[in-house]
Amino acid sequence: MGQAVPYRQEELLADAIAGLIGDARHAAIGASSPIPAAAAMLARERGHGRPYVSLLGSRRQSFFTDGGRELFDCAGQGRIDVFFLSGGQIDGAGNINLVSIGDYEHPKVRFPGSFGSSYMYYVVPKVILFRLEHTRRTLVEKVDFVSAPGTSADNAHRPGGPIALITNRCLFAFDRARKRFGLASVHPGHSVADVIEHTGFDFDRQADVPVTPAPSPETLRLLRTVVAPQLTEVYPQFAADVFGIAT
C-alpha cells in the first residue's frame, strides 16, 4: 500500500462538503466562504462540469451581474440546489443566529445581520451549515436570536432547509423529520467524547461513529492543481495560506 499523503484540515473539510453536494445542478456560494467554494469547485471537477458553481464576488465563476438580488431571484425560481450558511450561534434544531448575543436591546455581541439567510434557508433544497469554531459558545442549546429557522411547522410549504452541519471537529447530518442533528462522522484526531464535550446541544449518535475519510491522493491533486488557482480571484490570501499559491 502507498504511503498516505499529508493534508490540511481545509482539504479534509472541502472533500467532505463536496460529497454532501453530490450530483446537484447548481451550487451557489456567498461571501467569506473559501472552504465551501473549494468544495463546490472540487465537486464540479469530479462531475465533469456539474454542478454549475456561482461564486459571489467573482467575474469568472458567476453569471450574476447584480449580486445578491439575482441570487435571491434564482433561488426563488428553484434554480439553486445547494447553498451554505453559518452563524455566530447554531443550535440543535438547525436555527442560526446572525444578529446578536444576549438581550436584543442591550446585546453583548452584535453580528453583521441576516442578509437574506432566512429566505435562502426556506427555498434552497440543500443548505449546508458550516462553522469552523466548534465550541459550546457557538453550538448552543438554543440561539439567542433566530435569524433563520432550521425547521418549520408541518403545514408550512418549505422546499428548503438544512441537510448537514460541518465543523472543525465533525460532521452532523440533519434529520428534518425529527428536527435534530445526528453525528455522522468525527474528523481524524477527534472523538465522540470530544464532540460531546464541546457541543452545547444534544444530538443522536450510533454506537460506532465512523471517522471522516481522509482526502484521496486524486482529491488532493485536484484541490492543489485545479481548484486552488481558481480560488485566487476571490480568496487570494486563503489560496496562499492553504495551497501556497501566490497571486
Side-chain angles (χ1 to χ4, degrees):
M1 295 178 63
Q3 191 172 20
V5 179
Y7 60 87
R8 293 181 56 122
Q9 180 188 70
E10 294 88 348
E11 294 172 318
L12 175 79
L13 298 181
D15 184 29
I17 293 172
L20 295 172
I21 293 172
D23 62 350
R25 301 166 303 164
H26 184 185
I29 303 97
S32 304
S33 303
I35 294 176
M41 292 177 185
L42 173 62
R44 182 177 61 190
E45 292 302 319
R46 290 172 171 172
H48 306 287
R50 179 180 177 140
Y52 185 89
V53 175
S54 293
L55 176 58
L56 286 189
S58 171
R59 290 180 176 272
R60 303 170 190 166
Q61 305 289 337
S62 176
F63 63 84
F64 299 135
T65 59
D66 196 17
R69 182 156 50 184
E70 285 181 299
L71 171 69
F72 299 147
D73 285 347
C74 194
Q77 294 164 13
R79 295 194 290 130
I80 295 177
D81 304 305
V82 180
F83 194 65
F84 302 87
L85 289 174
S86 188
Q89 292 178 324
I90 301 172
D91 69 22
N95 301 313
I96 64 174
N97 177 9
L98 286 162
V99 173
S100 61
I101 291 178
D103 180 74
Y104 180 76
E105 298 297 332
H106 304 283
K108 299 176 183 177
V109 177
R110 179 73 75 180
F111 299 130
S114 302
F115 190 65
S117 58
S118 58
Y119 173 76
M120 298 297 284
Y121 219 7
Y122 265 80
V123 299
V124 177
K126 283 186 174 184
V127 177
I128 299 170
L129 304 177
F130 65 100
R131 193 66 167 89
L132 292 184
E133 181 191 337
H134 184 147
T135 66
R136 288 180 174 265
R137 181 179 75 161
T138 57
L139 303 187
V140 298
E141 182 178 4
K142 185 177 180 180
V143 295
D144 289 1
F145 186 96
V146 180
S147 300
T151 63
S152 301
D154 293 338
N155 63 350
H157 175 65
R158 182 174 182 174
I163 65 162
L165 164 63
I166 189 164
T167 75
N168 61 319
R169 299 180 190 273
C170 69
L171 170 64
F172 293 106
F174 191 74
D175 187 328
R176 292 187 186 179
R178 303 191 66 223
K179 301 183 178 181
R180 58 188 282 124
F181 287 107
L183 185 59
S185 68
V186 294
H187 302 332
H190 296 280
S191 65
V192 174
D194 174 44
V195 172
I196 293 172
E197 178 184 353
H198 293 92
T199 306
F201 57 76
D202 190 27
F203 54 88
D204 297 328
R205 53 194 179 274
Q206 56 190 4
D208 187 16
V209 178
V211 175
T212 307
S216 68
E218 174 60 13
T219 291
L220 293 174
R221 184 192 69 80
L222 288 173
L223 282 169
R224 295 169 182 179
T225 65
V226 180
V227 172
Q230 299 177 65
L231 292 171
T232 58
E233 179 198 10
V234 178
Y235 301 113
Q237 193 61 54
F238 177 83
D241 292 345
V242 175
F243 298 106
I245 296 180
T247 55

